[in-house]
Amino acid sequence: MSVGPAHLGAIRAFDYLAALSLGASAALGAWWLVPDGLPGVLAMILGMLVGTLAAVPVFVLFTWLLGGFEIVMMAMQIGMIAGMGAPMIAGGTVTSVAMAGAGVGLVIQMLLHALDRSLHGEVAT
Amino acid sequence: MSSAAGTKDAAVRKWNRAAKALDSKDRGEEVRYGPYKRSLFAKARGKTMLVAAGTGIDFKYLPPGLEVTAIDFSPRMLSFAEKRLDESASPVELVEADVTRLDFADQTFDTVITSCTFCSVPDPVQGLREVRRVLKDDGRLLMFEHVRASNPWLGFMMDVMNPLVRKFGPDINRRTGDNIRAAGFRIVREFNVYLDMVKLFEAVKA
């Protein structure tokens, strides 16, 4: 069973755009809202929560545009991990934090994409 | 009121509330998964029951030549589905019914179709047992469903998120393959659409 390559290619490009946006929003949210000077572990836990929440508006937008479990799964991972890492960035700028978050998003989406390629298709019954 | 009836009433209320926004939420999913649904539903034959028809968003994937009974336990969903009856290539009759307690006689249907259904049925194994009862002995169950991922990390995340997600929509961590077998079916085909969490199943009576 297959769907057209143009159909799949457009959706895949959209998924990567969503991943970059989710990562940037989660990282910026956590970087702005988690106070400086917190103990490292506490800052990471708080960043994880704040990052997940900060990614929600972006998640809602991308889900409305071209939703699916692909967006759900990446948003769950990216919001948490980008948010967890962002408070650890010392002396960052808006641009550098957004790029770091987008990088996290990119890596997670590449991993999910690779996992999907290994699982997609017929399962032996 | 019994606990089961209370659970069902709560589910009906939840899906009545969700009806209006459901199409908007599912718009993107249709772009992604529509081709898979169309190819699966093309295997339907004869008298067919579409379980949890929702707003009728799947009517357009039904092939011609069927006699379709589309059920849903949410009257509000059915009121939306009524507006989509002409999208189906086969005639569709809408019936308000709960899949866990069907009024149809044994062995009524040649095919039963589900589409993101058993993530929402409060008692999925009981629902699938009822499906088995109304399916003919040589009938076929065709399912497009999302299930819990087998990857330990992704599965754990789905377990963690599920209590929040199910307040507004379906459960995201159901083990539907196990439920199909527990209800007395044999899975003859399983196809992973996305990871191993969005799947096509084809099953027959064991």
Side-chain angles (χ1 to χ4, degrees), chain B residues 166-186:
Chain B
R166 71 182 315 219
K167 287 190 185 303
F168 308 101
D171 283 5
I172 57 170
N173 62 347
R174 293 267 174 99
R175 291 175 162 88
T176 300
D178 293 343
N179 292 340
I180 294 168
R181 293 184 192 94
F185 284 101
R186 180 167 61 86

Side-chain angles (χ1 to χ4, degrees), chain A residues 1 3 7 11 15 64-71 73 76-77 80 112 116 119-123 125, chain B residues 24 27-28 31-33 35-36 39 146 153-154 157 161 188-195 197-198 200:
Chain A
M1 182 182 304
V3 294
H7 179 98
I11 289 174
D15 287 345
W64 179 75
L65 287 171
L66 190 52
F69 292 94
E70 289 83 344
I71 304 289
M73 292 310 285
M76 280 163 53
Q77 319 299 319
M80 205 177 69
L112 285 170
D116 181 42
L119 292 171
H120 183 84
E122 301 287 347
V123 178
T125 53
Chain B
S24 175
R27 198 179 65 109
V31 177
R32 288 175 189 268
Y33 307 138
Y36 295 101
S39 66
H146 62 89
W153 170 248
L154 297 180
M157 290 293 291
M161 296 297 290
V188 293
R189 180 170 178 254
E190 189 173 335
F191 184 96
N192 288 335
V193 174
Y194 175 60
L195 301 176
M197 58 172 290
V198 181
L200 310 181

Side-chain angles (χ1 to χ4, degrees), chain B residues 39-191:
Chain B
S39 66
L40 180 68
F41 298 175
K43 298 182 177 183
R45 297 287 177 267
K47 205 165 161 54
T48 298
M49 176 169 69
L50 173 62
V51 183
T55 61
I57 202 163
D58 293 321
F59 289 172
K60 58 183 172 289
Y61 305 124
L62 295 168
L66 307 178
E67 188 185 332
V68 181
T69 302
I71 70 163
D72 203 292
F73 64 11
S74 160
R76 191 157 160 74
M77 288 285 186
L78 290 175
S79 72
F80 283 97
E82 199 165 5
K83 296 170 190 158
R84 284 215 165 103
L85 289 175
D86 59 355
E87 292 181 14
S88 170
S90 290
V92 177
E93 180 193 12
L94 299 176
V95 176
E96 187 180 327
D98 173 4
V99 71
T100 59
R101 275 192 322 189
L102 294 169
D103 285 334
F104 304 110
D106 294 358
Q107 302 202 41
T108 300
F109 296 101
D110 300 289
T111 310
V112 175
I113 295 175
T114 76
S115 176
C116 293
T117 298
F118 281 95
C119 50
S120 307
V121 175
D123 185 345
V125 175
Q126 174 57 27
L128 283 159
R129 284 192 184 122
E130 272 294 87
V131 165
R132 188 180 185 282
R133 181 182 68 75
V134 301
L135 189 65
K136 291 179 181 172
D137 284 344
D138 60 349
R140 189 165 281 244
L141 172 60
L142 306 174
M143 306 176 77
F144 174 88
E145 297 286 340
H146 62 89
V147 304
R148 185 185 188 278
S150 66
N151 177 283
W153 170 248
L154 297 180
F156 169 74
M157 290 293 291
M158 294 171 92
D159 291 340
V160 169
M161 296 297 290
N162 192 57
L164 177 66
V165 174
R166 71 182 315 219
K167 287 190 185 303
F168 308 101
D171 283 5
I172 57 170
N173 62 347
R174 293 267 174 99
R175 291 175 162 88
T176 300
D178 293 343
N179 292 340
I180 294 168
R181 293 184 192 94
F185 284 101
R186 180 167 61 86
I187 296 171
V188 293
R189 180 170 178 254
E190 189 173 335
F191 184 96

